[in-house]
Amino acid sequence: MTIKLLAVCGSTREHSYSGRLAIIALATAREHGAETRLLELNEINLPTYNPDKDDMDHEGLRVATEAVNWADAFLLASPDYHGSMSGAMKNFLDFYWAEFAGKLFGYVVASHEKGLTVMEHMRTSVRQCYGWSLPYGVSVHGEKDFDSSGLANPQVARRLRMLARDLVVYGALVRGQFQQDLANGVTETFAARYR
Ligand SMILES: Cc1cc2nc3c(=O)[nH]c(=O)nc-3n(C[C@H](O)[C@H](O)[C@H](O)COP(=O)(O)O)c2cc1C
């Protein structure tokens, strides 16, 4: 299958480091045959999630929901804010749950540390929605790892290429199996509850 990979950028900064990581990863994913899209949360300006409100008349929410439904796999890109994901990213995740089931997620973080707790918090939110996660992620210290020509740290660049490749390859396996389980009426699988 040609996998559709959606990167979601959770920074509200222009030219953010996390967004730049996502753009590089998407380029590699296309080299591996993926179709890709980038959803920049600072552009669509989602309302704050309110379970009592149907905000589907909000243009940004319609754009996000169409992209989420389109995607077979996700790359979540967030800055490290207080050791966690940005509020914009958490707010985006709050709008969805069943849409994440049976889809693979990868994580990239811009952090002055290693961004591990940020990835862990995103991974926990995704797991809660029956999404699958790559067991590793990539973090970048923007001021040290980027220079005027772009990503200048070869180790980070190599890890990012690996992550993009694994998202495409393992993402297709997870999504393909989930869709097959849905179609074949398999009952003893978590996919059964999404039929
Ligand atoms: C509100 C706020 C909280 C932050 N908290 C942390 C933190 O806990 N740990 C850390 O390493 N960096 C922290 N930072 C630094 C950002 O993670 C860093 O500047 C990152 O590059 C921003 O990502 P972006 O370029 O994708 O927006 C914080 C920055 C802001 C604005």
Side-chain angles (χ1 to χ4, degrees):
M1 68 184 277
T2 301
I3 191 163
K4 300 185 194 106
L5 176 63
L6 177 67
V8 181
C9 177
S11 177
T12 43
R13 249 166 41 77
E14 265 187 59
H15 311 299
S16 67
Y17 293 121
S18 50
R20 290 166 73 181
L21 278 187
I23 289 166
I24 297 167
L26 288 183
T28 305
R30 286 193 294 277
E31 288 170 16
H32 288 281
E35 275 181 53
T36 67
R37 287 193 198 173
L38 177 65
L39 183 65
E40 302 213 50
L41 297 181
N42 67 342
E43 283 181 1
I44 60 171
N45 209 13
L46 289 177
T48 300
Y49 177 66
N50 179 342
D52 290 335
K53 275 172 79 180
D54 174 6
D55 279 312
M56 282 316 280
D57 57 342
H58 188 285
E59 174 59 17
L61 184 57
R62 276 205 301 269
V63 168
T65 301
E66 193 276 323
V68 164
N69 288 327
W70 169 86
D72 294 313
F74 291 83
L75 176 64
L76 301 187
S78 179
D80 182 335
Y81 284 172
H82 309 327
S84 191
M85 71 190 96
S86 67
M89 178 62 81
K90 182 63 171 67
N91 185 54
F92 160 78
L93 294 176
D94 288 346
F95 281 94
Y96 308 102
W97 56 281
E99 294 85 346
F100 294 158
K103 297 181 180 180
L104 184 65
F105 286 67
Y107 307 98
V108 295
V109 173
S111 174
H112 292 160
E113 295 153 70
K114 292 194 172 164
L116 288 176
T117 51
V118 185
M119 291 178 210
E120 216 40 63
H121 295 171
M122 291 194 282
R123 200 173 275 129
T124 297
S125 297
V126 164
R127 186 200 64 207
Q128 207 65 21
C129 304
Y130 287 82
W132 297 65
S133 290
L134 281 181
Y136 67 93
V138 176
S139 81
V140 72
H141 187 308
E143 289 80 4
K144 286 186 186 162
D145 295 331
F146 278 91
D147 65 17
S148 54
S149 62
L151 184 56
N153 181 327
Q155 278 178 320
V156 175
R158 192 184 63 79
R159 256 178 98 77
L160 197 57
R161 285 197 301 275
M162 179 169 85
L163 177 122
R165 181 266 178 200
D166 284 346
L167 257 179
V168 172
V169 173
Y170 290 91
L173 292 173
V174 169
R175 182 71 171 144
Q177 187 63 50
F178 184 80
Q179 287 176 321
Q180 207 175 306
D181 285 349
L182 284 181
N184 293 348
V186 178
T187 51
E188 290 185 344
T189 164
F190 81 102
R193 60 182 293 188
Y194 298 95
R195 207 166 284 130

